[in-house]
Amino acid sequence: MKRYILLTPGPTPLPPAVSEAMARPILHHRTQEFGDLFDAVLDDMRYVYQTQGATVLMMTTSGTGSMESAVVNLLSPGDKIIVHTTGAFGDRFVSIAKAYGVSPVVVAEEWGHAADPARLRQALQANKDVKAVFFQHTDTSTGVVNDLEKLAHEVREQSAAVVVVDSVSGLAAEPLKMDSWGLDVVLTGSQKGLMCAPGLAFAAVSERAWPLVESAKLPRFYFDWRAMRKSLKNRETPYTPGVTLVAGQAEALKMIRHEGIENVWKRTAELARYTRAWAGRQGLSLFAKDPANILTAINMPAGVDGDALIKDILAKEGISIAGGQVQLKGKIIRIAHMGYITKADLDAGFAALEARLSKAGV
Ligand SMILES: *Cc1c(COP(=O)(O)O)cnc(C)c1O
């Protein structure tokens, strides 16, 4: 069998126990047995989110589906919102809002920089009637991490808006404390720090956010959070969930809980340090000015096409490394160190990169 090492910021590799759980017979989703499994997943997710008060909802969709669900469940036509964008995923919030006829006030940071609380404050002061403010926890396109605690504090000081966070790549990798940081909605997907296959997404929704959910007027059906919350009473989802993925996610969450979330954060930070130190020894510079622990974005030296390099590594060695997105195509590479990615996986990626960089005379 061909070797296949994922060093990409989603999907990430699966622990064998997760693959095994997904190979079990399919459960019917309106049974006691599935209800037990679903309950365990939601309980463990509250732990991972570090929340007691929020309601955790599960959707069968990718991370972007959860982002769309937040837009349609919180907003009405004509609502004012702020999107504080730090890269391609912040821009995705802008696109989703526009697709539903909501035109956001956009605070855009230069790529590679985290969201600046002072710029946020200015935007909030100029837009007192804002309903919601959207952030990324980590922007996977640039490898930056935002100071959510500080940003959420700023929102609270200046307005009554709810704080919506895309933590699709950040959760279960980078520290996040939903309740103590005052985050109202936190979105995530199964295929990154959560160590499961792609296809499940979650939204943790605080009590502060529910009145908006009740009154939102944008069109919604499959992603209607009200229906999801109602079904929770019967330990169910409104429609057939990806039961296979739920079995895998339950197993992965058990592992996270057993390790302890603080230890998961520490382990990820250690791998980030390891990767940055390797890049430093190669004389390579980092793209992000405020680097996250989930991945390391590395600038390619002049004359080296990062995309050609990673394509060659994948074809010849079965190691998947991510390139740059949009204007960074070919200019950076992104090495992930979240979820089940190990030091040995990173070493394999480093060796493959070193061989090609030295051939290119770097
Ligand atoms: C991966 C990711 C998403 C969601 O992407 P999907 O392909 O829809 O799962 C959203 N936001 C961030 C920051 C991501 O890294």
Side-chain angles (χ1 to χ4, degrees):
M1 197 173 108
K2 201 178 150 197
R3 171 169 83 162
Y4 197 61
I5 297 177
L6 281 172
L7 292 179
T8 45
T12 58
L14 299 188
V18 174
S19 300
E20 282 161 24
M22 291 197 296
R24 286 180 208 143
I26 303 293
L27 289 179
H28 192 274
H29 57 289
R30 310 234 183 263
T31 57
Q32 167 99 31
E33 202 176 351
F34 180 79
D36 291 346
L37 195 68
F38 185 41
D39 254 0
V41 165
L42 298 181
D43 188 47
D44 287 345
M45 284 302 295
R46 278 189 291 274
Y47 167 71
V48 172
Y49 276 120
Q50 296 284 287
T51 183
Q52 275 165 356
T55 304
V56 176
L57 306 172
M58 186 189 80
M59 296 162 253
T60 299
T61 181
S62 82
T64 306
S66 72
M67 295 168 76
E68 181 160 339
S69 79
V71 169
V72 300
N73 279 286
L74 295 169
L75 305 178
S76 299
D79 274 354
K80 192 177 265 189
I81 63 168
I82 293 175
V83 178
H84 198 151
T85 173
T86 47
F89 291 96
D91 294 351
R92 188 170 296 177
F93 268 139
V94 174
S95 301
I96 296 169
K98 283 186 178 164
Y100 283 96
V102 173
S103 62
V105 173
V106 179
V107 182
E109 299 295 343
E110 192 189 328
W111 283 35
H113 294 263
D116 177 1
R119 296 193 60 212
L120 173 66
R121 188 181 319 140
Q122 280 176 357
L124 287 163
Q125 283 168 349
N127 299 281
K128 283 287 182 196
D129 50 344
V130 67
K131 278 266 179 67
V133 186
F134 293 75
F135 303 101
Q136 263 60 41
H137 180 197
T138 45
D139 203 305
T140 323
S141 61
T142 64
V144 300
V145 60
N146 281 322
D147 188 340
L148 291 177
E149 187 175 16
K150 209 177 257 175
L151 294 166
H153 180 75
E154 207 60 64
V155 174
R156 286 279 187 276
E157 291 274 289
Q158 305 294 336
S159 76
V162 292
V163 175
V164 184
V165 175
D166 159 8
S167 188
V168 177
S169 63
L171 198 76
E174 202 88 42
L176 181 136
K177 297 176 179 175
M178 182 169 179
D179 288 358
S180 68
W181 292 0
L183 314 177
D184 295 302
V185 174
V186 184
L187 311 164
T188 199
S190 52
Q191 81 273 31
K192 301 186 182 181
L194 288 178
M195 303 194 297
C196 189
L200 285 185
F202 298 89
V205 185
S206 72
E207 280 309 314
R208 272 189 88 237
W210 278 106
L212 280 185
V213 178
E214 297 298 339
S215 64
K217 295 283 186 301
L218 285 184
R220 51 184 156 166
F221 184 80
Y222 184 72
F223 286 137
D224 194 330
W225 286 351
R226 295 168 300 184
M228 293 180 204
R229 182 162 71 163
K230 214 167 147 200
S231 293
L232 286 179
K233 289 189 187 73
N234 300 324
R235 310 196 308 160
E236 289 178 354
T237 51
Y239 318 106
T240 314
V243 288
T244 308
L245 297 167
V246 179
Q249 190 61 82
E251 201 62 39
L253 285 164
K254 248 190 244 169
M255 293 175 67
I256 291 171
R257 201 149 192 169
H258 185 256
E259 182 176 4
I261 192 71
E262 287 87 1
N263 292 326
V264 172
W265 299 338
K266 265 189 225 155
R267 176 167 51 76
T268 311
E270 168 53 30
L271 292 178
R273 272 193 296 276
Y274 187 66
T275 305
R276 287 175 209 147
W278 169 80
R281 285 198 303 280
Q282 304 305 312
L284 299 168
S285 61
L286 304 185
F287 177 75
K289 303 294 177 269
D290 306 288
N293 292 330
I294 56 156
L295 70 86
T296 300
I298 297 172
N299 291 314
M300 285 294 95
V304 177
D305 176 355
D307 272 14
L309 196 142
I310 58 175
K311 216 169 154 184
D312 187 55
I313 292 176
L314 179 60
K316 298 209 177 88
E317 304 193 44
I319 303 171
S320 218
I321 296 170
Q325 292 173 287
V326 200
Q327 71 263 34
L328 294 177
K329 207 168 161 44
K331 299 201 173 109
I332 64 165
I333 58 166
R334 294 173 299 144
I335 304 173
H337 19 71
M338 61 176 89
Y340 194 61
I341 293 170
T342 63
K343 229 171 212 178
D345 296 332
L346 290 171
D347 286 339
F350 297 164
L353 285 165
E354 279 172 36
R356 283 156 185 86
L357 287 168
S358 76
K359 214 193 255 174
V362 180

